[in-house]
Amino acid sequence: MRRYFGTDGVRGKVGEFPMTPEFAMKLGWAAGKVLGAEGVSEVLIGKDTRASGYMLESALEAGFSSAGVNIALVGPLPTPAIAYLATTFRANAGVVISASHNPFYDNGIKLFSQTGHKLTDEQELEIERWLQQALDHGMDCVSSERLGKARRIDDAAGRYIEYCKSHFPSQQTLGGLKVVVDCANGAAYKVAPAVYRELGAEVVPLHAWPDGVNINDRCGATDLTSLRAAVIEQRADLGIALDGDADRLMMVDETGAVVDGDELLFLLAREAHTHSYSGGVVGTLMSNLGLELALAELGIPFRRAKVGDRYVMELLRETGWRLGGEGSGHLLSLDHASTGDAIIASVLILAALRRKDITLSRARQGMRKFPQVLINVRYRARQGIEPLDTDAVKATVQEAEGLLGDSGRVLLRKSGTEPLIRVMVEAEDAELAHRCARLVADALPTG
């Protein structure tokens, strides 16, 4: 079991363990020990726009240097940009300082291999072993002549912009398209508008003026209110929303309606299917039933992984498929990027709209979302009692599934961070979904 690494690196509130300068320095040292032993001579470090990124960047730099590993600094860039650039520069690994869609007072550290993929469980466990040694007993330092050196890369953003544009057909442009781009005051505030503008679109930037504390603040992929209003006000063709590190994508059509990750994944899959893609699609336990049914109509296989893009990636590797994602907007198209990349996913969708010469509102009509009801039930842990395994709960779930038949489903799962049981019910009929969700929630033990 990993102690510090979660499904998306190490994350926490800045100033509190583990998001402290001391921890970051020792994590850099430990990662340098492990990766250096594997032949890594340089790591690429990028970050989002949080003010705390400067502090953590300096601490990581000191840690890697003390382990004898060189550092290349690229400044604020999307997480997927670091994954890509780690494969194109002489750097042997990538590090991202970001807490993704979290508020500014949180931050995190993720590590990528030279191939642009997250580190393996074995690598993370080995890093934790060295990290624990540093936390308990301190860290050593290589001799002065072997200390790692730091350099700054000035053309990293330009390289990534060109990489994103390369996924749009060279014979097409976005000329005549008006796009509102909500950058969440995050890592893509410069590169995202540049990509769409250089492809020919008229771009209206939104929330593209970071100040260190306004990242994800009532904007971006987690709050589409201002984007929806801007699309209507600007009479734009569509809106694009990224999160703080630009690995999540949500869109808004010309009517102001939200197009979420499940619908975007369907659009990507349908387009790939027309270009002879023969594999299937990986979603999660929370993926809308409408996605599964729409894919089935196209003859595209579908499987569900646990919630989290890490688990989607694991199932993609197991099946050999190339497309996966979550309703939250994490979208994986492994023929185009090694990790979730919101800008590239949007470019692929824009290319599909251009090829068919249709609007986003019309394109999304191929999938009908089922109403989905989510209720969080707080419970008190009792020794020897598993709340989901009681006879009363099992009987109630069976009753609800009987009411839903083949046109709905029930999902119960425990939160990994707090004593909550999440009850999710979806059905063709919204009233029936609410009734069944309440029925199951009331059967759960709360005392």
Side-chain angles (χ1 to χ4, degrees), residues 1 18 47 122 161 164 202 248 262 266 304 345:
M1 292 290 292
K47 59 186 178 181
E122 292 75 20
I161 289 170
C164 292
E202 178 186 351
R248 285 190 184 196
D262 284 339
F266 169 73
R304 295 179 184 270

Side-chain angles (χ1 to χ4, degrees), residues 64-305:
F64 278 113
S65 178
S66 67
V69 175
N70 296 324
I71 307 102
L73 302 170
V74 300
L77 275 180
T79 289
I82 307 306
Y84 161 69
L85 292 170
T87 69
T88 62
F89 284 101
R90 291 183 179 179
N92 307 99
V95 181
V96 178
I97 305 167
S98 174
S100 190
H101 58 281
N102 284 26
F104 78 95
Y105 48 75
D106 290 337
N107 217 328
I109 300 169
K110 335 181 199 190
L111 291 90
F112 291 91
S113 69
Q114 190 179 26
T115 62
H117 296 101
K118 292 178 182 178
L119 299 187
T120 65
D121 291 344
E122 292 75 20
Q123 287 174 310
E124 289 185 350
L125 285 169
E126 183 65 5
I127 290 172
E128 286 200 354
R129 188 177 72 81
W130 282 98
L131 174 60
Q132 197 60 55
Q133 176 181 315
L135 293 171
D136 293 341
H137 307 292
M139 45 183 266
D140 58 20
C141 182
V142 299
S143 59
S144 295
E145 67 273 11
R146 293 174 52 215
L147 287 171
K149 300 177 179 64
R151 65 184 178 117
R152 187 164 294 279
I153 298 174
D154 296 323
D155 63 341
R159 291 197 186 199
Y160 179 63
I161 289 170
E162 291 303 314
Y163 174 66
C164 292
K165 289 164 52 183
S166 72
H167 296 279
F168 192 84
S170 58
Q171 69 275 17
Q172 294 182 349
T173 77
L174 294 178
L177 198 73
K178 188 175 184 178
V179 181
V180 181
V181 182
D182 185 345
C183 302
N185 292 313
Y189 77 101
K190 285 186 178 180
V191 296
V195 168
Y196 309 118
R197 190 175 291 118
E198 292 182 21
L199 287 173
E202 178 186 351
V203 176
V204 180
L206 189 65
H207 303 297
W209 298 272
D211 61 11
V213 298
N214 60 0
I215 187 171
N216 300 315
D217 184 13
R218 291 171 293 177
C219 60
T222 57
D223 189 337
L224 299 168
T225 306
S226 59
L227 177 61
R228 297 177 68 186
V231 167
I232 299 299
E233 180 185 342
Q234 295 287 333
R235 296 183 179 179
D237 294 287
L238 54 86
I240 295 170
L242 314 172
D243 68 338
D245 70 335
D247 66 352
R248 285 190 184 196
L249 171 69
M250 300 286 271
M251 296 182 77
V252 171
D253 69 20
E254 74 279 7
T255 72
V258 174
V259 186
D260 69 9
D262 284 339
E263 294 171 286
L264 296 174
L265 180 56
F266 169 73
L267 296 181
L268 290 173
R270 184 174 64 185
E271 181 67 8
H273 188 60
T274 64
H275 289 85
S276 303
Y277 173 67
S278 58
V281 172
V282 173
T284 74
L285 296 173
M286 297 297 291
S287 295
N288 195 277
L289 185 58
L291 170 62
E292 183 174 353
L293 296 178
L295 291 173
E297 288 184 11
L298 296 175
I300 300 175
F302 178 77
R303 287 182 61 180
R304 295 179 184 270

Side-chain angles (χ1 to χ4, degrees), residues 10-22:
V10 181
R11 191 176 293 187
K13 188 172 183 179
V14 174
E16 298 179 4
F17 188 87
M19 280 297 105
T20 65
E22 179 186 8

